[in-house]
Amino acid sequence: MANPDKRHTAEGLKRLIAFADAVVAIALTLLVLPLVDLASEVETRRTLPEIMSDHGDVLIGFLISFIVTWVLWRNHHAIMENYCEYNSPMMNMHFVWLLTIVLLPLATALISNEHVHWADCFYILLLAVSILALIGITREGVRCPELVVDDARARRSVADWTGVGSIIALLIALVMTLVWPGLGSAPLALLLIPGPLQALNQRIRGQKSAVE
């Protein structure tokens, strides 16, 4: 039986990242397929603004999920840039993270269907699990510093990325969705706030470290 604490090779890390990138790319492709089907189902002469007006929920769902998937991948990319090796817990966290990515097209279809109740709650909870998986990946870098690139900036980046802001934004979005279900997917816009704030915080901390 394999040792669960066994460290793996740098080549294996490259394959893991390449596999994750491929899954994200496929998920993004699946997001656009309902729009392609929608265009092929138009049988009478219609203008583009009319089609967009009639199917605005589908278009909004696509835009939200495309941006969300991009943000999740960007965070994953930034986190993995700091690692030179990986271990079994990191592999398991990738399994969870990729599962949430694969389920995003399904969640998108659900929030785009006005007849499905609590779809927005499912979407928010799915994103929470995805972010928690990323947090788990970063905590492995703190727990096992030998997995991180031998560089002060990389170690600081792993230690600083907590994902707490995103989790708080999701909790607020979940409460808003439960209290005011008529808002639809609008509360998900809160997810756009933590990223820039964290980047600004890291930039300020980096400037302070340079001065010191």
Side-chain angles (χ1 to χ4, degrees), residues 30-109:
L30 291 176
L31 286 177
V32 79
L33 290 183
L35 299 182
V36 177
D37 294 337
L38 196 109
S40 63
E41 291 172 0
V42 177
E43 297 179 352
T44 59
R45 185 177 295 276
R46 305 286 300 280
T47 64
L48 183 59
E50 288 176 342
I51 296 175
M52 294 178 66
S53 176
D54 292 343
H55 303 282
D57 51 350
V58 178
L59 292 171
I60 292 173
F62 165 76
L63 288 174
I64 290 174
S65 288
F66 190 92
I67 294 172
V68 164
T69 305
W70 164 256
V71 171
L72 290 173
W73 176 84
R74 185 183 62 187
N75 285 329
H76 176 268
H77 173 73
I79 291 168
M80 297 310 296
E81 282 280 287
N82 302 309
Y83 288 95
C84 58
E85 296 181 44
Y86 71 108
N87 57 13
S88 293
M90 283 181 62
M91 175 76 81
N92 296 335
M93 287 298 101
H94 271 81
F95 170 82
V96 176
W97 186 72
L98 290 175
L99 178 61
T100 63
I101 294 297
V102 170
L103 287 175
L104 267 176
L106 170 62
T108 304

Side-chain angles (χ1 to χ4, degrees), residues 13 43 100 135 170 183:
L13 178 63
E43 297 179 352
T100 63
I135 292 174
L170 283 174
L183 292 176

Side-chain angles (χ1 to χ4, degrees), residues 97-143:
W97 186 72
L98 290 175
L99 178 61
T100 63
I101 294 297
V102 170
L103 287 175
L104 267 176
L106 170 62
T108 304
L110 292 176
I111 66 173
S112 300
N113 190 333
E114 60 182 9
H115 302 295
V116 180
H117 298 293
W118 308 113
D120 294 306
C121 294
F122 171 71
Y123 194 101
I124 291 171
L125 291 174
L126 185 66
L127 295 184
V129 173
S130 186
I131 294 170
L132 287 173
L134 291 178
I135 292 174
I137 294 173
T138 60
R139 292 309 93 191
E140 278 305 300
V142 176
R143 188 179 75 89

